[in-house]
Amino acid sequence: MMASMPLRPRRRDHDADEGRPGPIEGSVIRPARAHDIATIIALRALLFEAMGTAPATISDNAWQQQAARWFQLHLSDERTCIMVAEAHHVVVSCAMGQVIDRCPSPTDDTGVGGLMSNIATFPGHRRMGFSEACVEAVMDWFSTATDVETISLLATPQGQGIYERFGFEEHSFPEMRAAVPRPTPESDLD
């Protein structure tokens, strides 16, 4: 029987729970808390808008309720790090990192990967360094609290410059997606 590879972060840095100074006076970068979930979902909606998702789809309550449930379950998950930027006690930006269990490969024999996502800032607080500070905090978490060697993310053109400053680069194999076909209730009756 193979020994299991460490897939969990080493441990959370409890001192980081207090946060760190943010990029402007009166701001702080800190781990997300339960009372931040609605704001994080609003920021997430901005991501979908930037990616061209239809406004009617973005405003649908079903995904937002499922996202709220997901965040409630994962805020205390050691494999997830959600950082927010507060400016004068108001959350204005966020970024999320996750430890992903992947099958080992010739270029990654551990199978421990990272995914960074949910990087967004409200329009009135952009170009002030909030997204970059949140990304830096998540990168620090990956570096100090996990065994992750490689982190993936999907970038909008607006965010690409920030990610490049942290060493992200375009990969030669672009992501492709396919919807999984499911039978409709009517087709079950045939």
Side-chain angles (χ1 to χ4, degrees):
M1 180 171 178
M2 277 182 56
S4 64
M5 297 301 296
L7 297 177
R8 294 201 169 269
R10 294 181 193 115
R11 66 177 187 81
R12 284 201 186 264
D13 182 359
H14 294 289
D15 295 334
D17 289 346
E18 299 301 316
R20 61 173 84 173
I24 65 170
E25 188 175 332
S27 68
V28 65
I29 308 302
R30 63 164 176 79
R33 300 179 185 123
H35 66 270
D36 300 322
I37 291 174
T39 305
I40 293 168
I41 292 170
L43 286 162
R44 189 164 172 76
L46 290 176
L47 289 171
F48 294 122
E49 182 181 312
M51 293 186 291
T53 304
T57 304
I58 295 171
S59 63
D60 178 34
N61 284 337
W63 82 265
Q64 294 181 22
Q65 290 171 348
Q66 291 296 339
R69 182 178 178 283
W70 188 93
F71 282 115
Q72 288 170 347
L73 293 171
H74 288 85
L75 276 176
S76 61
D77 182 350
E78 292 182 340
R79 297 169 58 101
T80 303
C81 174
I82 305 166
M83 300 299 288
V84 298
E86 265 187 19
H88 304 287
H89 307 289
V90 176
V91 172
V92 298
S93 186
C94 65
M96 179 171 67
Q98 294 173 270
V99 176
I100 306 296
D101 179 18
R102 300 186 294 208
C103 183
S105 71
T107 58
D108 179 7
D109 64 353
T110 68
V112 179
L115 174 66
M116 187 169 307
S117 64
N118 216 71
I119 305 161
T121 301
F122 286 119
H125 291 87
R126 291 182 182 157
R127 304 204 184 288
M128 295 181 188
F130 290 114
S131 286
E132 190 166 351
C134 287
V135 168
E136 180 179 25
V138 173
M139 293 294 288
D140 288 349
W141 172 78
F142 275 123
S143 174
T144 62
T146 77
D147 293 324
V148 168
E149 298 281 334
T150 304
I151 304 163
S152 300
L153 66 75
L154 299 174
T156 61
Q158 300 88 341
Q160 195 166 357
I162 292 171
Y163 312 134
E164 287 172 347
R165 288 193 289 276
F166 286 97
F168 287 92
E169 53 190 36
E170 288 188 37
H171 196 273
S172 57
F173 299 104
E175 177 178 284
M176 296 178 69
R177 292 184 180 179
V180 177
R182 304 272 185 218
T184 61
E186 298 84 42
S187 67
D188 289 342
L189 299 175
D190 292 338

